[in-house]
Amino acid sequence: MSNEFDVVVVGGGPVGLWLACELALAKVKVLVLERRTERVTQSRALTIHARTLEVFALRGIAERFLSQGRPNPVFFFGGLDTLLDFSTLESHFPFTLFLPQATTERLIEERALELGVDIRRGHLVEQVEQNAESVIIRGRTGETPFVFAARYAAGADGARSMVRHALAIDFVGHPARHTMTLADVALDAPPEKPVLTLVNEAGGLVLAPRGDGVHHRIGVIDASSPYSASSEPVSLAEVAACAARIFGGDLRPRDPVWMSRFTDESRLAECYRKGRIFLAGDAAHINPPMGGQGMNVGIQDAMNLGWKLASVIHGTASDEILDSYQSERRPIGEALQEDTLAQFALFSSFDPPALALRRMLSGFLRLPQVNRQLSDQLSGFGVAYPEPLFEAAHNWEHRKGVSGHRLSDANLVLRGGARTTLYHYLQEGRWVLLQVAAESNATPVRDAINIVSLAPGANDGLLGKFASMLVRPDGYLAHVRILYESDDFEAAA
C-alpha cells in the first residue's frame, strides 16, 4: 500500500471530508487521517446555512441533505426578539436547514467514499514536518507507527489542532468569560413557536427544532451562574431548571440525546498557510456557537482551498494561487469573530441597560434593509472576493460590484434553444465560461474549462448584461467581458 499522496488531510470531520471530496473530484490522490475510530454520533453543529446548501448543490448533492433535514425560513441573531427573514434570500435555498452534525458528517463521508477518498480512522497524527518538496506526517494507530509523505497537507483537526501547534501558528483572540449549555431533548410542553429566543433578568434561552421531528435544541445561559468550566458535566435537571426560570414555565425536557457546554472563547489563526500546509475549519477559527456558523464557514474554507490545490498539483495554476486561500478566507474568519462576539454580548448581558439595547436593536431588525444585511451575513451570501485571482486579459474586466460575488443557480437558455442550469456545469468542479459571443482567447486561466454557449438575448440578469462570464469552480464570478457594439452574435452563432 502506497504511503505517498498528493495531499494528506488531518481530521475527518465535515470540513476535512469536504476538502477531500473536492480534491478527489479533481482526480487528486488524497488521504484523510482521523484519530477517532467512528464517526461523531452527537448532534453538535445543527445548522446548515443557505450558502453551504449551495456548495452542495454546486456538486449536485444538495438533495441528500434536504431530504433528511428541516428547513426553516427564519433564524435568530443574538437572541433578539425579531428574527432574521431568510425567505427574502435570492437562492433556491431561502432558509436554513436543521440537521444534526452526525447526519451531515455521514452524508459527506458517503460522498467521499463514492469519489474514492482513502479514509483511515484510528490514526493519531503526532508529527508534521515539511521541506521544500514535501510534507511528512508521522503518528500511530494503536501501538503501530505510521509515516506518510505528501506534496501538501491540510489541518482540519479542530480547535486543539496538532497541525497548528506543529507549525507554531499563533491562535489569537479572546478567552472564555461565559458558558452556554446546550441540550438536545424531547419536550413534553413545547412552546407554540418552533423557533424561540428569550433574554431577561434570569438569563438567555434559545430553542429550535433539531430536524428529526422529535427533539429540540435548548441553549441557555444562567444569569446567576454565567461561567462554568466546559468540562463540567451537564445534567438534565440543570437545563430544565434554567430554561424554566427564563421561559416562565416548565418545558418538561426529557430523553436527552446530547448535552454539552460551550464558551464564548473566540480565536483566529494568525495565518492559514505555512509553506505546504494549510488550516481550515476549527483549526483556523473557533467562535461562540452563535448563529450556527462555525461548521458552515469551515466547509466553505474547504471549498475555496480544494480546487486551488488541485489546480497547482495538476500544473494548471502556479503556486501563487494558494496564497489567495488566506487572502480570501482569513478576512471571513475575522468577520465571523466579530459577528459571533457581538451576538454573544447581546445574549449574555441581563442588566436593564443591556435589555434596553436589545429592545432597540430588535426594532432595527424590523427594517427590511437591516434584516437583509444580517441575513446575508449569517447565510454566507454576503461573502465576496474583491481581488481578482488573475489579471484580466484582452476584453476581460474585473468589474467592481460584480466580479468576486457568488452566483446563485440560474436557468440558462443555450444556443439552439435547449434549457439547463448554471450549477449543472459546475458539478465537475471545473471553471465555466458562459459566452454569448465566441472568445478568440477564451480565458485568462489555463485550467480545463466547461464552455457554454448562450442564446443571444434570451437570458436574464447578469447573463444578459455581459458578452462572457468566467465562473470559478466554487461558484464565484471571476471575470466578465462587457458587451461591445461590435460584437456580432449572428456571425458567432
Side-chain angles (χ1 to χ4, degrees):
M1 185 179 294
S2 173
N3 281 9
E4 296 184 358
F5 294 84
D6 292 319
V7 181
V8 170
V9 178
V10 181
V15 175
L17 288 171
W18 190 253
L19 176 57
C21 287
E22 285 296 287
L23 293 166
L25 181 65
K27 310 302 181 187
V28 169
K29 187 179 180 183
V30 57
L31 169 68
V32 175
L33 299 176
E34 169 56 48
R35 63 177 178 81
R36 296 172 300 177
T37 57
E38 302 290 340
R39 284 196 308 267
V40 65
T41 58
Q42 300 92 350
S43 302
R44 298 190 181 182
L46 185 63
T47 303
I48 301 181
H49 279 304
R51 179 54 190 169
T52 304
L53 290 171
E54 285 191 343
V55 163
F56 296 148
L58 284 163
R59 301 300 182 250
I61 64 169
E63 186 55 39
R64 302 184 188 187
F65 300 85
L66 294 170
S67 66
Q68 299 195 42
R70 175 172 177 168
N72 201 308
V74 296
F75 206 70
F76 35 80
F77 184 89
L80 295 175
D81 294 339
T82 304
L83 298 177
L84 298 181
D85 182 8
F86 283 1
S87 69
T88 65
L89 298 175
E90 297 167 3
S91 170
H92 289 323
F93 312 108
F95 49 79
T96 190
L97 189 73
F98 291 141
L99 188 68
Q101 182 177 325
T103 305
T104 300
E105 188 172 311
R106 172 177 60 81
L107 293 173
I108 297 177
E109 182 172 320
E110 289 173 0
R111 162 77 167 176
L113 294 174
E114 291 169 4
L115 293 169
V117 173
D118 187 346
I119 302 172
R120 304 193 192 182
R121 294 191 173 276
H123 280 59
L124 177 65
V125 174
E126 297 175 312
Q127 283 185 300
V128 177
E129 302 171 348
Q130 62 178 315
N131 54 46
E133 302 297 330
S134 65
V135 180
I136 307 299
I137 297 97
R138 293 184 174 87
R140 55 186 169 84
T141 173
E143 298 301 320
T144 305
F146 63 75
V147 57
F148 296 102
R151 292 178 62 180
Y152 297 93
D157 51 339
R160 293 182 292 275
S161 171
M162 191 287 306
V163 175
R164 189 185 64 244
H165 285 292
L167 295 174
I169 295 176
D170 286 343
F171 206 35
V172 296
H174 308 281
R177 297 189 306 154
H178 299 87
T179 304
M180 183 176 187
T181 303
L182 298 180
D184 289 351
V185 295
L187 297 178
D188 282 338
E192 292 182 6
K193 294 182 179 179
V195 177
L196 174 69
T197 60
L198 283 172
V199 176
N200 52 41
E201 294 83 356
L205 165 70
V206 61
L207 183 71
R210 185 170 176 260
D212 60 3
V214 177
H215 296 89
H216 280 72
R217 170 160 294 180
I218 294 179
V220 292
I221 298 179
D222 189 342
S224 64
S225 180
Y227 179 81
S228 300
S230 56
S231 58
E232 185 176 328
V234 181
S235 71
L236 180 61
E238 172 194 349
V239 173
C242 184
R245 286 194 298 273
I246 301 166
F247 182 65
D250 190 357
L251 296 169
R252 293 163 57 192
R254 58 176 171 81
D255 302 331
V257 294
W258 176 67
M259 297 189 294
S260 187
R261 298 186 198 275
F262 289 84
T263 72
D264 57 347
E265 182 178 10
S266 181
R267 298 189 181 276
L268 181 67
E270 186 178 33
C271 59
Y272 281 21
R273 179 191 185 187
K274 208 165 200 181
R276 293 180 169 270
I277 306 175
F278 303 82
L279 300 177
D282 285 355
H285 44 76
I286 60 169
N287 303 277
M290 301 302 296
Q293 300 172 85
M295 181 186 71
N296 290 271
V297 173
I299 289 173
Q300 292 161 41
D301 289 342
M303 188 70 163
N304 186 286
L305 178 59
W307 64 269
K308 294 174 180 177
L309 264 177
S311 298
V312 173
I313 288 168
H314 289 315
T316 56
S318 69
D319 182 80
E320 292 178 0
I321 197 175
L322 297 178
D323 289 333
S324 72
Y325 170 61
Q326 173 168 307
S327 65
E328 290 186 343
R329 294 305 300 174
R330 194 173 185 279
I332 308 306
E334 291 176 339
L336 175 65
Q337 187 175 61
E338 289 290 300
D339 175 289
T340 52
L341 285 173
Q343 290 197 61
F344 210 93
L346 288 170
F347 193 65
S348 60
S349 300
F350 314 113
D351 58 14
L355 296 177
L357 176 62
R358 285 179 50 81
R359 289 190 292 271
M360 178 183 293
L361 294 178
S362 189
F364 289 157
L365 279 185
R366 298 188 191 101
L367 300 173
Q369 63 271 33
V370 176
N371 198 295
R372 178 57 187 270
Q373 179 173 333
L374 292 179
S375 295
D376 282 343
Q377 190 168 302
L378 259 67
S379 67
F381 287 173
V383 172
Y385 302 128
E387 296 299 323
L389 286 175
F390 304 94
E391 292 298 325
H394 306 287
N395 291 327
W396 288 93
E397 293 189 356
H398 189 79
R399 305 272 295 200
K400 189 172 183 181
V402 176
S403 300
H405 283 251
R406 61 170 264 280
L407 292 176
S408 58
D409 202 4
N411 295 320
L412 304 180
V413 182
L414 306 182
R415 195 179 302 275
R419 294 175 180 271
T420 184
T421 65
L422 169 62
Y423 281 14
H424 169 75
Y425 291 103
L426 285 157
Q427 290 182 16
E428 297 175 340
R430 291 151 52 105
W431 292 78
V432 172
L433 175 64
L434 304 169
Q435 59 178 12
V436 177
E439 301 290 340
S440 57
N441 293 288
T443 170
V445 299
R446 296 173 293 157
D447 212 21
I449 251 182
N450 286 333
I451 298 179
V452 182
S453 295
L454 302 179
N459 290 279
D460 299 326
L462 289 177
L463 299 173
K465 294 181 179 179
F466 300 104
S468 300
M469 298 171 61
L470 181 64
V471 185
R472 297 166 23 151
D474 54 3
Y476 288 86
L477 184 57
H479 290 285
V480 299
R481 190 171 76 82
I482 64 175
L483 195 61
Y484 292 105
E485 293 181 3
S486 60
D487 285 328
D488 188 345
F489 295 144
E490 295 302 321

